[in-house]
Amino acid sequence: MSQSSIRSEQPLYPKISSIYNKIMQLAIAIFLIIVLMNLWVFSYGKNQRATQAHFNEVSSQYLTQIASAAKILLHENKNDVEQYFDEITESPWVKDLSFYDKTGQLVIASDKHSSINDLFGITKNKADRSDEFTTFVQEIREDNLVGYLRLTIENNSITADIDEASEQQYGLVRLMMILAVIVGFLLTRGLNRFSRQGFRLG
């Protein structure tokens, strides 16, 4: 084989090797992006579940305290219970509070009371607002069942500060992911140039 044919075949190997390297680098970059996205989605979902659990726990504990006070007031004066309910609903995150007897009949309600049918848009000409409010129900018992207490809480009200902090945190994470992709791209370009120069020097 002549020297001219050998020289003509020599450039094929670095070209093929360069293509393989680029494909490998692209595959690694895509894999890392997928891993980062999965980690972000998993972390975000876990945080949302923890926030919802906190919301449910705080609301349930608050309703338990209200039920304890309402049980005492029910023995004294119905007007005192109504006044107490109205005071509770002055809180910006409480929509309404109501008491039902053991048969499910409404007995006492705060001024801003809405029925379950109203909240879920079942009542005619009422929009569905179930995504805005969450209802918690607790029994009031003495020796026997006395009735039920229903508390309606505005969603995201208790956890507004937590949600805002989470959004800021995940916004920062998204920015870091974008910067990581850019830095990875720049490093890849730099390493490619360095490797080509090294091959030429060799």
Side-chain angles (χ1 to χ4, degrees):
M1 184 179 292
S2 64
Q3 292 182 353
S4 59
S5 62
I6 295 175
R7 290 175 182 174
S8 63
E9 293 176 358
Q10 284 178 348
L12 292 176
Y13 174 76
K15 286 183 179 179
I16 295 174
S17 177
S18 176
I19 293 173
Y20 285 154
N21 286 338
K22 289 180 179 180
I23 294 175
M24 182 64 68
Q25 290 167 357
L26 179 61
I28 293 173
I30 293 174
F31 174 76
L32 291 176
I33 291 173
I34 292 174
V35 171
L36 288 173
M37 288 297 297
N38 285 335
L39 289 174
W40 182 84
V41 170
F42 174 78
S43 178
Y44 184 79
K46 183 179 180 181
N47 184 75
Q48 289 296 104
R49 290 190 295 271
T51 301
Q52 184 62 41
H54 174 72
F55 172 79
N56 292 337
E57 182 180 359
V58 171
S59 300
S60 297
Q61 290 178 352
Y62 187 56
L63 180 56
T64 299
Q65 295 175 0
I66 295 173
S68 298
K71 185 189 298 185
I72 298 173
L73 293 174
L74 284 169
H75 288 291
E76 297 178 0
N77 192 328
K78 180 180 176 181
N79 292 331
D80 292 339
V81 180
E82 292 178 350
Q83 183 179 355
Y84 175 62
F85 281 13
D86 290 337
E87 290 174 357
I88 293 294
T89 55
E90 288 178 1
S91 174
W93 49 278
V94 176
K95 185 192 180 301
D96 65 48
L97 182 62
S98 52
F99 172 71
Y100 300 80
D101 65 20
K102 59 185 179 181
T103 65
Q105 295 297 316
L106 180 64
V107 178
I108 304 171
S110 59
D111 288 338
K112 298 183 292 183
H113 170 75
S114 295
S115 68
I116 293 293
N117 289 343
D118 290 344
L119 292 176
F120 282 86
I122 299 174
T123 303
K124 188 178 180 180
N125 298 326
K126 291 288 185 179
D128 183 5
R129 294 184 293 169
S130 57
D131 58 336
E132 301 177 26
F133 304 100
T134 300
T135 293
F136 297 86
V137 178
Q138 181 168 318
E139 294 180 349
I140 295 182
R141 286 183 173 274
E142 292 180 345
D143 295 333
N144 298 310
L145 177 64
V146 176
Y148 304 90
L149 200 61
R150 181 169 70 87
L151 175 68
T152 302
I153 300 291
E154 182 180 350
N155 293 341
N156 303 322
S157 54
I158 297 177
T159 59
D161 294 338
I162 299 176
D163 290 336
E164 182 178 356
S166 296
E167 287 299 324
Q168 292 177 354
Q169 176 185 354
Y170 286 106
L172 180 61
V173 171
R174 287 193 295 269
L175 177 61
M176 292 175 64
M177 289 175 60
I178 294 172
L179 290 176
V181 172
I182 294 174
V183 170
F185 174 77
L186 294 176
L187 285 175
T188 301
R189 291 290 299 273
L191 289 174
N192 281 339
R193 291 179 181 177
F194 178 78
S195 62
R196 286 197 298 268
Q197 290 176 357
F199 177 78
R200 290 170 183 172
L201 289 174

